[in-house]
Amino acid sequence: MATQHGKCTNFGLCTKADTHEAQDVPEGSEFACAECKRPLTATGGERTGQSSGDPLPKIIVAILLLLLLGAGGYYFWSHRGSGAKVADAPKNSAAVSTATASTTLLRLSGSNTIGAELAPALVEAWLTQRGMTGIHRENSAPDETRVSGTSNGATVSVEIKAHGTSTAFAGLAAKTCDIGMASRKIDKAEVADLRSKGLGDLTADANERVIGLDGVAVIVNESNSVDSMTIQEVAAIFAGAASGKKWNVYARDDKSGTYDTFKDRVLRGKALMGAAKRFEDSRTLASAVTSDREAIGFVGLPYAAGAKVLAISEKGAAALVPNMNTVRTESYPLSRRLYFYVPDNAIPDAREFARFALSAAGQNVVEKSGFVGQKVEVMTTNATPTNAPAGYLQLMPSADRLTVDFRFRTGSSQLDPKAVDDIKRFALAMNGRFSGRGVMLVGFADSTGTASKNVELSKERAQAVGEQMKRQGITPAFVTGFGQELPVADNGTPEGRDKNRRVEVWLRK
């Protein structure tokens, strides 16, 4: 019986992928990984029951060679008589340029936050993993990068255009890019538009890939004495409605996903003041803030170097600065997810690259680029909030909190796309460095409805996470819920309610 040969590329989420294990699949069976069920990447032709001495393939090859030699001889002798010289073909002929030109392997478009440094770094690591050499990047235009490498004498490149998140969805719609980079979640109108163009549901688990986390940092000059602000205070300054201190306001441009996040989470319907200075590039904005004593601006966390980052508070929650713990658990009020959007009809290289970004190797690149990766680790600071309910305070002294909180699709107990991938990361960690430790799941709800109903909902969500863990062979030792207690965001906004509906993960010491 013939067999097919392949390898899984679901790096970081499948042990067979991480160990590069070759898999043999009988002909007629689904060509998918035995562990994670993702499609395999073919690594060779079919192997049949014929012995290596079967003469048929050799005969076919010999016939093809004779045909090629005959065609070449005919071409040579037919042109020789006319005086034409094959060797004298122009050096700029189409044949020569085709052989030496770079082939575009993949096209990315969208977020400047992702595309300025993170995406090129991910591409370089991905091409290296594929065995390419001579990998280098060059700027083909402002905020546009081409990363190239060589394999078997052929040069291939990946094109990255980083003009803002809105251009990701425009590029996907126009089919001028293969992956959309976004520093905010796709909105309903964009989902409907792309679905109507045959690109499928971009919010499906396989299409909406969270590649890392970031915090929109509110920054001021280092000489400024202000240390923290409420979201309402920040909004008043950027809307030009603050009294007292004079501020010079710096903001990203309208195409920016960073600006979209700031507009939705901070301005909340208020108009940005007309005198604000606008920037397409986060690095340029941050540099301007560091040179202006009256400046205030906002950028993605990796671009805040040299400026003072403020602690931000939201109604009902404590003021927090964006750092590894507060962003990874998404408790920082302006934390956000960084996305790759991959359509249903994506080319195989697009899916492979997105999976690489989610792998352990890809997440290392995310962190080296200054963003927050999605590794499952014990939190470095484990302070229990003083306003925690009594039951919570009794549980936690004997446990360590992990840096992952599970969240859900709006209005349901169905895990969102990030949580689906987090379950797999968690399972790998439990089968490795956390093996043998008891798992405790602690659910929370928003404040909609009665307190007793919210306790019930929070327990149901924790149980839903527990059921997903059981499918991975992990049975939680303890599951509970504390309803609307300990909010991490404002229950007065849809985004805040989504953040408050969460399940924390703790491990018994």
Side-chain angles (χ1 to χ4, degrees), residues 354-394:
R355 287 193 290 268
F356 172 78
L358 294 171
S359 73
Q363 291 300 294
N364 284 336
V365 175
V366 169
E367 295 190 352
K368 288 178 182 177
S369 298
F371 294 98
V372 177
Q374 300 173 91
K375 299 175 182 177
V376 179
E377 298 174 334
V378 171
M379 287 184 66
T380 53
T381 56
N382 199 15
T384 303
T386 56
N387 60 335
Y392 189 94
L393 292 172
Q394 291 171 1

mmCIF file of all heavy atoms in Angstrom, residues 354-394:
data_model
loop_
_atom_site.group_PDB
_atom_site.id
_atom_site.type_symbol
_atom_site.label_atom_id
_atom_site.label_comp_id
_atom_site.label_asym_id
_atom_site.label_seq_id
_atom_site.Cartn_x
_atom_site.Cartn_y
_atom_site.Cartn_z
ATOM 1 N N ALA A 354 2.266 31.883 10.018
ATOM 2 C CA ALA A 354 1.452 32.221 11.191
ATOM 3 C C ALA A 354 1.668 31.211 12.307
ATOM 4 O O ALA A 354 1.775 31.580 13.484
ATOM 5 C CB ALA A 354 -0.022 32.292 10.805
ATOM 6 N N ARG A 355 1.753 29.931 11.954
ATOM 7 C CA ARG A 355 2.002 28.900 12.972
ATOM 8 C C ARG A 355 3.388 29.077 13.582
ATOM 9 O O ARG A 355 3.577 28.866 14.778
ATOM 10 C CB ARG A 355 1.839 27.498 12.371
ATOM 11 C CG ARG A 355 0.393 27.104 12.105
ATOM 12 C CD ARG A 355 0.262 25.621 11.822
ATOM 13 N NE ARG A 355 0.844 25.251 10.547
ATOM 14 C CZ ARG A 355 0.184 25.201 9.400
ATOM 15 N NH1 ARG A 355 -1.107 25.530 9.356
ATOM 16 N NH2 ARG A 355 0.787 24.826 8.293
ATOM 17 N N PHE A 356 4.364 29.455 12.764
ATOM 18 C CA PHE A 356 5.695 29.696 13.302
ATOM 19 C C PHE A 356 5.665 30.826 14.331
ATOM 20 O O PHE A 356 6.314 30.748 15.382
ATOM 21 C CB PHE A 356 6.684 30.042 12.182
ATOM 22 C CG PHE A 356 8.020 30.497 12.706
ATOM 23 C CD1 PHE A 356 8.945 29.580 13.181
ATOM 24 C CD2 PHE A 356 8.329 31.853 12.777
ATOM 25 C CE1 PHE A 356 10.157 29.998 13.700
ATOM 26 C CE2 PHE A 356 9.546 32.279 13.291
ATOM 27 C CZ PHE A 356 10.463 31.352 13.754
ATOM 28 N N ALA A 357 4.916 31.888 14.034
ATOM 29 C CA ALA A 357 4.826 33.016 14.972
ATOM 30 C C ALA A 357 4.269 32.577 16.322
ATOM 31 O O ALA A 357 4.619 33.144 17.360
ATOM 32 C CB ALA A 357 3.976 34.131 14.375
ATOM 33 N N LEU A 358 3.414 31.566 16.337
ATOM 34 C CA LEU A 358 2.814 31.068 17.579
ATOM 35 C C LEU A 358 3.703 30.056 18.300
ATOM 36 O O LEU A 358 3.462 29.742 19.463
ATOM 37 C CB LEU A 358 1.465 30.409 17.282
ATOM 38 C CG LEU A 358 0.357 31.331 16.763
ATOM 39 C CD1 LEU A 358 -0.838 30.501 16.312
ATOM 40 C CD2 LEU A 358 -0.051 32.326 17.809
ATOM 41 N N SER A 359 4.705 29.539 17.619
ATOM 42 C CA SER A 359 5.567 28.515 18.202
ATOM 43 C C SER A 359 6.469 29.113 19.274
ATOM 44 O O SER A 359 6.575 30.328 19.428
ATOM 45 C CB SER A 359 6.420 27.873 17.109
ATOM 46 O OG SER A 359 7.431 28.774 16.678
ATOM 47 N N ALA A 360 7.159 28.235 20.003
ATOM 48 C CA ALA A 360 8.086 28.702 21.038
ATOM 49 C C ALA A 360 9.169 29.584 20.430
ATOM 50 O O ALA A 360 9.541 30.619 20.992
ATOM 51 C CB ALA A 360 8.700 27.498 21.750
ATOM 52 N N ALA A 361 9.676 29.182 19.246
ATOM 53 C CA ALA A 361 10.703 29.992 18.582
ATOM 54 C C ALA A 361 10.148 31.354 18.190
ATOM 55 O O ALA A 361 10.813 32.389 18.340
ATOM 56 C CB ALA A 361 11.224 29.256 17.347
ATOM 57 N N GLY A 362 8.921 31.373 17.677
ATOM 58 C CA GLY A 362 8.295 32.638 17.295
ATOM 59 C C GLY A 362 8.037 33.537 18.485
ATOM 60 O O GLY A 362 8.248 34.758 18.417
ATOM 61 N N GLN A 363 7.596 32.957 19.592
ATOM 62 C CA GLN A 363 7.319 33.757 20.783
ATOM 63 C C GLN A 363 8.605 34.316 21.397
ATOM 64 O O GLN A 363 8.592 35.386 22.003
ATOM 65 C CB GLN A 363 6.549 32.925 21.806
ATOM 66 C CG GLN A 363 5.122 32.602 21.370
ATOM 67 C CD GLN A 363 4.284 33.845 21.135
ATOM 68 O OE1 GLN A 363 3.983 34.598 22.064
ATOM 69 N NE2 GLN A 363 3.908 34.093 19.888
ATOM 70 N N ASN A 364 9.716 33.613 21.208
ATOM 71 C CA ASN A 364 10.996 34.190 21.632
ATOM 72 C C ASN A 364 11.309 35.461 20.845
ATOM 73 O O ASN A 364 11.815 36.434 21.397
ATOM 74 C CB ASN A 364 12.125 33.169 21.429
ATOM 75 C CG ASN A 364 12.127 32.088 22.492
ATOM 76 O OD1 ASN A 364 11.618 32.277 23.598
ATOM 77 N ND2 ASN A 364 12.690 30.937 22.167
ATOM 78 N N VAL A 365 11.003 35.447 19.551
ATOM 79 C CA VAL A 365 11.219 36.629 18.720
ATOM 80 C C VAL A 365 10.310 37.764 19.174
ATOM 81 O O VAL A 365 10.722 38.930 19.230
ATOM 82 C CB VAL A 365 10.980 36.298 17.236
ATOM 83 C CG1 VAL A 365 11.079 37.558 16.370
ATOM 84 C CG2 VAL A 365 11.961 35.248 16.746
ATOM 85 N N VAL A 366 9.058 37.433 19.509
ATOM 86 C CA VAL A 366 8.108 38.448 20.000
ATOM 87 C C VAL A 366 8.697 39.169 21.210
ATOM 88 O O VAL A 366 8.676 40.400 21.296
ATOM 89 C CB VAL A 366 6.752 37.795 20.356
ATOM 90 C CG1 VAL A 366 5.860 38.785 21.120
ATOM 91 C CG2 VAL A 366 6.043 37.320 19.090
ATOM 92 N N GLU A 367 9.249 38.403 22.151
ATOM 93 C CA GLU A 367 9.786 39.004 23.370
ATOM 94 C C GLU A 367 11.089 39.761 23.110
ATOM 95 O O GLU A 367 11.315 40.831 23.684
ATOM 96 C CB GLU A 367 9.970 37.922 24.435
ATOM 97 C CG GLU A 367 8.631 37.328 24.869
ATOM 98 C CD GLU A 367 8.734 36.436 26.085
ATOM 99 O OE1 GLU A 367 9.857 36.148 26.522
ATOM 100 O OE2 GLU A 367 7.670 36.031 26.593
ATOM 101 N N LYS A 368 11.928 39.246 22.226
ATOM 102 C CA LYS A 368 13.154 39.957 21.892
ATOM 103 C C LYS A 368 12.865 41.279 21.196
ATOM 104 O O LYS A 368 13.673 42.209 21.249
ATOM 105 C CB LYS A 368 14.044 39.087 21.009
ATOM 106 C CG LYS A 368 14.702 37.929 21.751
ATOM 107 C CD LYS A 368 15.540 37.067 20.819
ATOM 108 C CE LYS A 368 16.155 35.900 21.562
ATOM 109 N NZ LYS A 368 16.923 35.006 20.658
ATOM 110 N N SER A 369 11.713 41.378 20.551
ATOM 111 C CA SER A 369 11.317 42.614 19.875
ATOM 112 C C SER A 369 10.663 43.608 20.831
ATOM 113 O O SER A 369 10.247 44.684 20.402
ATOM 114 C CB SER A 369 10.363 42.294 18.715
ATOM 115 O OG SER A 369 10.998 41.478 17.756
ATOM 116 N N GLY A 370 10.550 43.255 22.116
ATOM 117 C CA GLY A 370 10.028 44.174 23.119
ATOM 118 C C GLY A 370 8.565 44.013 23.446
ATOM 119 O O GLY A 370 8.031 44.721 24.308
ATOM 120 N N PHE A 371 7.886 43.081 22.779
ATOM 121 C CA PHE A 371 6.482 42.829 23.076
ATOM 122 C C PHE A 371 6.370 41.723 24.128
ATOM 123 O O PHE A 371 7.373 41.205 24.611
ATOM 124 C CB PHE A 371 5.735 42.448 21.794
ATOM 125 C CG PHE A 371 5.656 43.566 20.793
ATOM 126 C CD1 PHE A 371 6.549 43.622 19.732
ATOM 127 C CD2 PHE A 371 4.723 44.574 20.918
ATOM 128 C CE1 PHE A 371 6.500 44.663 18.814
ATOM 129 C CE2 PHE A 371 4.669 45.632 20.012
ATOM 130 C CZ PHE A 371 5.564 45.668 18.956
ATOM 131 N N VAL A 372 5.164 41.356 24.464
ATOM 132 C CA VAL A 372 4.933 40.345 25.495
ATOM 133 C C VAL A 372 4.506 39.045 24.821
ATOM 134 O O VAL A 372 3.502 39.011 24.106
ATOM 135 C CB VAL A 372 3.866 40.815 26.502
ATOM 136 C CG1 VAL A 372 3.584 39.730 27.534
ATOM 137 C CG2 VAL A 372 4.313 42.101 27.189
ATOM 138 N N GLY A 373 5.289 37.994 25.045
ATOM 139 C CA GLY A 373 4.967 36.701 24.473
ATOM 140 C C GLY A 373 3.886 35.988 25.261
ATOM 141 O O GLY A 373 3.392 36.487 26.277
ATOM 142 N N GLN A 374 3.512 34.802 24.790
ATOM 143 C CA GLN A 374 2.393 34.075 25.395
ATOM 144 C C GLN A 374 2.853 32.786 26.074
ATOM 145 O O GLN A 374 2.105 31.807 26.129
ATOM 146 C CB GLN A 374 1.352 33.781 24.312
ATOM 147 C CG GLN A 374 0.822 35.062 23.675
ATOM 148 C CD GLN A 374 -0.075 34.801 22.490
ATOM 149 O OE1 GLN A 374 -1.298 34.673 22.637
ATOM 150 N NE2 GLN A 374 0.509 34.707 21.303
ATOM 151 N N LYS A 375 4.059 32.804 26.595
ATOM 152 C CA LYS A 375 4.556 31.646 27.325
ATOM 153 C C LYS A 375 3.780 31.471 28.631
ATOM 154 O O LYS A 375 3.366 32.454 29.251
ATOM 155 C CB LYS A 375 6.039 31.818 27.635
ATOM 156 C CG LYS A 375 6.921 31.935 26.396
ATOM 157 C CD LYS A 375 8.351 32.234 26.790
ATOM 158 C CE LYS A 375 9.230 32.411 25.567
ATOM 159 N NZ LYS A 375 10.623 32.784 25.934
ATOM 160 N N VAL A 376 3.594 30.251 29.025
ATOM 161 C CA VAL A 376 2.897 29.944 30.279
ATOM 162 C C VAL A 376 3.945 29.816 31.370
ATOM 163 O O VAL A 376 4.724 28.859 31.389
ATOM 164 C CB VAL A 376 2.063 28.665 30.146
ATOM 165 C CG1 VAL A 376 1.372 28.346 31.467
ATOM 166 C CG2 VAL A 376 1.039 28.809 29.029
ATOM 167 N N GLU A 377 3.974 30.770 32.277
ATOM 168 C CA GLU A 377 4.981 30.821 33.330
ATOM 169 C C GLU A 377 4.337 31.214 34.657
ATOM 170 O O GLU A 377 3.218 31.724 34.684
ATOM 171 C CB GLU A 377 6.076 31.829 32.974
ATOM 172 C CG GLU A 377 6.848 31.478 31.707
ATOM 173 C CD GLU A 377 7.822 32.559 31.283
ATOM 174 O OE1 GLU A 377 7.601 33.746 31.624
ATOM 175 O OE2 GLU A 377 8.801 32.231 30.606
ATOM 176 N N VAL A 378 5.064 30.997 35.747
ATOM 177 C CA VAL A 378 4.624 31.488 37.055
ATOM 178 C C VAL A 378 4.874 32.993 37.104
ATOM 179 O O VAL A 378 5.921 33.475 36.673
ATOM 180 C CB VAL A 378 5.395 30.781 38.187
ATOM 181 C CG1 VAL A 378 5.104 31.428 39.536
ATOM 182 C CG2 VAL A 378 5.032 29.297 38.213
ATOM 183 N N MET A 379 3.906 33.737 37.617
ATOM 184 C CA MET A 379 4.060 35.186 37.709
ATOM 185 C C MET A 379 5.202 35.527 38.647
ATOM 186 O O MET A 379 5.348 34.942 39.716
ATOM 187 C CB MET A 379 2.761 35.842 38.184
ATOM 188 C CG MET A 379 1.669 35.862 37.136
ATOM 189 S SD MET A 379 0.157 36.747 37.658
ATOM 190 C CE MET A 379 0.754 38.413 37.812
ATOM 191 N N THR A 380 6.011 36.499 38.230
ATOM 192 C CA THR A 380 7.172 36.874 39.048
ATOM 193 C C THR A 380 6.770 37.631 40.303
ATOM 194 O O THR A 380 7.446 37.570 41.323
ATOM 195 C CB THR A 380 8.132 37.731 38.217
ATOM 196 O OG1 THR A 380 7.405 38.839 37.644
ATOM 197 C CG2 THR A 380 8.739 36.912 37.090
ATOM 198 N N THR A 381 5.673 38.367 40.231
ATOM 199 C CA THR A 381 5.121 39.015 41.425
ATOM 200 C C THR A 381 3.756 38.419 41.679
ATOM 201 O O THR A 381 2.946 38.315 40.763
ATOM 202 C CB THR A 381 4.999 40.540 41.231
ATOM 203 O OG1 THR A 381 4.200 40.809 40.069
ATOM 204 C CG2 THR A 381 6.374 41.160 41.056
ATOM 205 N N ASN A 382 3.520 38.021 42.893
ATOM 206 C CA ASN A 382 2.320 37.241 43.192
ATOM 207 C C ASN A 382 1.545 37.855 44.364
ATOM 208 O O ASN A 382 1.049 37.168 45.229
ATOM 209 C CB ASN A 382 2.739 35.792 43.516
ATOM 210 C CG ASN A 382 1.591 34.821 43.386
ATOM 211 O OD1 ASN A 382 0.563 35.134 42.798
ATOM 212 N ND2 ASN A 382 1.774 33.637 43.940
ATOM 213 N N ALA A 383 1.462 39.195 44.362
ATOM 214 C CA ALA A 383 0.787 39.873 45.466
ATOM 215 C C ALA A 383 -0.726 39.705 45.351
ATOM 216 O O ALA A 383 -1.309 39.956 44.303
ATOM 217 C CB ALA A 383 1.150 41.354 45.461
ATOM 218 N N THR A 384 -1.358 39.260 46.420
ATOM 219 C CA THR A 384 -2.810 39.103 46.438
ATOM 220 C C THR A 384 -3.467 40.449 46.729
ATOM 221 O O THR A 384 -3.085 41.128 47.684
ATOM 222 C CB THR A 384 -3.227 38.095 47.515
ATOM 223 O OG1 THR A 384 -2.555 36.851 47.272
ATOM 224 C CG2 THR A 384 -4.727 37.870 47.498
ATOM 225 N N PRO A 385 -4.444 40.875 45.918
ATOM 226 C CA PRO A 385 -5.104 42.164 46.147
ATOM 227 C C PRO A 385 -5.725 42.237 47.543
ATOM 228 O O PRO A 385 -6.310 41.268 48.028
ATOM 229 C CB PRO A 385 -6.190 42.206 45.062
ATOM 230 C CG PRO A 385 -5.724 41.240 44.018
ATOM 231 C CD PRO A 385 -4.986 40.174 44.740
ATOM 232 N N THR A 386 -5.600 43.385 48.170
ATOM 233 C CA THR A 386 -6.130 43.546 49.531
ATOM 234 C C THR A 386 -7.646 43.516 49.566
ATOM 235 O O THR A 386 -8.239 43.207 50.599
ATOM 236 C CB THR A 386 -5.631 44.872 50.124
ATOM 237 O OG1 THR A 386 -6.001 45.951 49.244
ATOM 238 C CG2 THR A 386 -4.117 44.857 50.287
ATOM 239 N N ASN A 387 -8.289 43.840 48.414
ATOM 240 C CA ASN A 387 -9.754 43.859 48.380
ATOM 241 C C ASN A 387 -10.340 42.541 47.890
ATOM 242 O O ASN A 387 -11.510 42.459 47.524
ATOM 243 C CB ASN A 387 -10.247 44.991 47.482
ATOM 244 C CG ASN A 387 -9.762 44.856 46.034
ATOM 245 O OD1 ASN A 387 -8.740 44.224 45.785
ATOM 246 N ND2 ASN A 387 -10.479 45.464 45.110
ATOM 247 N N ALA A 388 -9.528 41.475 47.875
ATOM 248 C CA ALA A 388 -10.004 40.175 47.408
ATOM 249 C C ALA A 388 -10.991 39.578 48.396
ATOM 250 O O ALA A 388 -10.896 39.805 49.611
ATOM 251 C CB ALA A 388 -8.814 39.223 47.227
ATOM 252 N N PRO A 389 -11.962 38.789 47.908
ATOM 253 C CA PRO A 389 -12.913 38.128 48.813
ATOM 254 C C PRO A 389 -12.204 37.113 49.712
ATOM 255 O O PRO A 389 -11.122 36.614 49.386
ATOM 256 C CB PRO A 389 -13.900 37.441 47.862
ATOM 257 C CG PRO A 389 -13.186 37.342 46.558
ATOM 258 C CD PRO A 389 -12.259 38.508 46.489
ATOM 259 N N ALA A 390 -12.842 36.792 50.841
ATOM 260 C CA ALA A 390 -12.214 35.942 51.850
ATOM 261 C C ALA A 390 -11.816 34.577 51.294
ATOM 262 O O ALA A 390 -10.725 34.066 51.572
ATOM 263 C CB ALA A 390 -13.155 35.772 53.036
ATOM 264 N N GLY A 391 -12.693 33.971 50.497
ATOM 265 C CA GLY A 391 -12.398 32.661 49.943
ATOM 266 C C GLY A 391 -11.165 32.675 49.052
ATOM 267 O O GLY A 391 -10.364 31.734 49.039
ATOM 268 N N TYR A 392 -10.993 33.744 48.316
ATOM 269 C CA TYR A 392 -9.836 33.914 47.438
ATOM 270 C C TYR A 392 -8.562 34.027 48.275
ATOM 271 O O TYR A 392 -7.540 33.399 47.982
ATOM 272 C CB TYR A 392 -10.057 35.159 46.590
ATOM 273 C CG TYR A 392 -9.068 35.406 45.465
ATOM 274 C CD1 TYR A 392 -9.331 34.958 44.172
ATOM 275 C CD2 TYR A 392 -7.903 36.130 45.672
ATOM 276 C CE1 TYR A 392 -8.459 35.207 43.130
ATOM 277 C CE2 TYR A 392 -7.015 36.393 44.640
ATOM 278 C CZ TYR A 392 -7.300 35.925 43.371
ATOM 279 O OH TYR A 392 -6.427 36.181 42.349
ATOM 280 N N LEU A 393 -8.644 34.811 49.344
ATOM 281 C CA LEU A 393 -7.480 35.011 50.219
ATOM 282 C C LEU A 393 -7.055 33.713 50.905
ATOM 283 O O LEU A 393 -5.861 33.484 51.148
ATOM 284 C CB LEU A 393 -7.799 36.070 51.273
ATOM 285 C CG LEU A 393 -7.991 37.498 50.752
ATOM 286 C CD1 LEU A 393 -8.495 38.402 51.867
ATOM 287 C CD2 LEU A 393 -6.680 38.040 50.188
ATOM 288 N N GLN A 394 -7.998 32.848 51.175
ATOM 289 C CA GLN A 394 -7.678 31.573 51.824
ATOM 290 C C GLN A 394 -6.988 30.595 50.873
ATOM 291 O O GLN A 394 -6.125 29.818 51.272
ATOM 292 C CB GLN A 394 -8.957 30.934 52.376
ATOM 293 C CG GLN A 394 -9.558 31.691 53.560
ATOM 294 C CD GLN A 394 -10.933 31.167 53.934
ATOM 295 O OE1 GLN A 394 -11.428 30.211 53.315
ATOM 296 N NE2 GLN A 394 -11.550 31.779 54.924
#
